[in-house]
Amino acid sequence: MNDTKILIIGACGQIGSELTLKLREIYGTENVIASDIRKGEQDVFKTGPFEIVDAMNYEQVEALVNKYKVDEVYLMAALLSATAEKNPAFAWDLNMNSLFHVLNLAKDKKIKKIFWPSSIAVFGPTTPKQNTPQYTVMEPSTVYGISKQAGERWCEYYFNKYGVDVRSIRYPGLISWKTPPGGGTTDYAVDIYYKAVSDNNYTCFLSENTELPMMYMDDAIRATIGIMQAKAEDIKIRSAYNLAAMSFTPKEIAVAIAKEKSGFKISYEPDFRQAIADSWPSSIDDSAAANDWNWKPEYNLENMTKVMLENLSK
Ligand code: AKB
């Protein structure tokens, strides 16, 4: 396993940066090639190989795969929900073309395995909101959700038709103190901790009772590497797995923060992201991931809040 060569596309983003460091710990620095459209202010390009790549350019991606004899690709480049609504055409191009490039590289046997992230955004206003099942009505109403839903169908198609070993999970909102998120609807759940530490108050862009599925980044990274290391025959779902850890509202996260930081205050000024959040599930049934590849989260709102505040206060 230690000779496996891994390419991460979108390595400077919120998930990519932490994923790169973890994969380098497991597979060895030289075996994990980080790449992105530009260098971020990240450890990723100081701790191992780093290449500039445009995920939408097939020749550039193929050249990297050939140069490093890449076995596995983690395609983390994407425009998230809020940013995608501002530039739907570009979001569609980036999210879909980059996926086709790696799927086609695997179809042509140039790479062996792909990780591609999906999202709770594949669900829409007609989906059952509580404990949303793995298989259910899916009518996403955002361009991001539409691209993730279409991407899931293509992943399954390439697996069924060409035997491409592609694996995916539907991430909930992700929370980390290491790298800030960019352009998502769930970003408030990260911003709130930064503001709690700097100002002891926060104005939330979602309303107080908007309940969304969320996850601490360490759990998300464990899930990502877990599904990639699982035996191929255990991965029974080749579109994307539901994944869950906790669900809370802005009001509930504010209460959890106030327990650690007395006097913390929240106010609410919902903007265009409210409609996106209202179209998504409140909680997720992830029993298929638990059954098929032993997924189990470790963080809940309380222990995550302690870790977030502790680290951001340093
Ligand atoms: C977003 O808010 O767009 C993302 C997601 C749920 O996929 N965090």
Side-chain angles (χ1 to χ4, degrees):
M1 187 188 277
N2 279 344
D3 285 337
T4 306
K5 288 269 183 208
I6 294 176
L7 172 65
I8 301 159
I9 301 174
C12 293
Q14 190 200 14
I15 309 174
S17 55
E18 295 193 34
L19 183 64
T20 301
L21 299 184
K22 193 72 200 168
L23 287 171
R24 283 184 174 156
E25 238 176 85
I26 299 171
Y27 291 88
T29 298
E30 291 309 311
N31 290 327
V32 179
I33 298 95
S35 71
D36 210 306
I37 188 94
R38 64 182 73 84
K39 274 189 183 177
E41 288 303 314
Q42 314 286 348
D43 286 345
V44 289
F45 58 87
K46 293 187 205 131
T47 58
F50 181 86
E51 299 272 356
I52 299 288
V53 73
D54 177 357
M56 290 163 68
N57 185 316
Y58 179 83
E59 283 73 31
Q60 285 184 22
V61 178
E62 187 189 32
L64 273 191
V65 164
N66 289 338
K67 176 173 171 188
Y68 290 96
K69 301 194 171 33
V70 168
D71 300 296
E72 300 182 3
V73 174
Y74 289 69
L75 174 57
M76 311 311 286
L79 230 55
L80 296 185
S81 56
T83 320
E85 287 309 298
K86 294 182 180 154
N87 200 344
F90 176 68
W92 177 259
D93 278 355
L94 172 63
N95 295 359
M96 299 313 297
N97 287 341
S98 58
L99 175 59
F100 276 122
H101 294 341
V102 290
L103 286 173
N104 285 326
L105 284 167
K107 176 183 165 224
D108 295 342
K109 311 278 181 246
K110 292 182 178 152
I111 52 176
K112 297 186 185 117
K113 214 191 268 186
I114 298 167
F115 178 81
W116 176 78
S118 187
S119 160
I120 54 162
V122 293
F123 300 115
T126 51
T127 301
K129 263 193 167 324
Q130 294 295 340
N131 212 24
T132 300
Q134 175 70 41
Y135 299 107
T136 185
V137 180
M138 295 166 89
E139 295 183 314
S141 53
T142 62
V143 64
Y144 175 64
I146 295 168
S147 73
K148 290 296 177 187
Q149 161 72 318
E152 286 192 8
R153 306 306 341 129
W154 280 112
C155 288
E156 194 180 74
Y157 182 88
Y158 269 67
F159 172 76
N160 287 332
K161 194 99 179 165
Y162 309 116
V164 167
D165 189 355
V166 54
R167 303 167 184 212
S168 179
I169 49 194
R170 294 172 180 153
Y171 289 122
L174 298 181
I175 297 161
S176 159
W177 54 270
K178 289 180 190 152
T179 314
T185 302
T186 57
D187 293 8
Y188 93 84
V190 180
D191 300 344
I192 194 170
Y193 288 111
Y194 278 87
K195 285 286 187 184
V197 170
S198 63
D199 302 350
N200 216 25
N201 66 65
Y202 178 64
T203 304
C204 186
F205 58 75
L206 297 183
S207 63
E208 61 183 333
N209 294 321
T210 310
E211 187 184 23
L212 289 169
M214 300 279 184
M215 182 175 285
Y216 186 53
M217 186 62 85
D218 285 22
D219 273 342
I221 300 293
R222 260 191 328 105
T224 307
I225 297 173
I227 192 174
M228 283 297 271
Q229 290 185 338
K231 285 194 237 125
E233 60 268 29
D234 289 341
I235 306 302
K236 309 234 164 54
I237 295 171
R238 293 297 182 151
S239 49
Y241 279 90
N242 275 5
L243 198 71
M246 60 185 106
S247 286
F248 54 77
T249 64
K251 194 171 163 184
E252 287 164 345
I253 191 175
V255 169
I257 291 172
K259 278 191 196 147
E260 305 294 322
K261 285 197 98 283
S262 68
F264 175 72
K265 292 264 175 313
I266 185 166
S267 55
Y268 304 93
E269 280 177 22
D271 65 15
F272 74 101
R273 289 168 281 194
Q274 185 65 46
I276 301 177
D278 286 342
S279 77
W280 288 351
S282 301
S283 60
I284 298 284
D285 172 6
D286 62 353
S287 48
N291 291 335
D292 290 359
W293 44 277
N294 299 320
W295 159 245
K296 196 164 174 275
E298 285 175 2
Y299 285 85
N300 55 33
L301 179 56
E302 281 65 41
N303 57 14
M304 176 181 76
T305 296
K306 285 197 170 74
V307 178
M308 286 295 291
L309 292 175
E310 221 174 270
N311 283 287
L312 289 175
S313 303
K314 276 180 191 161

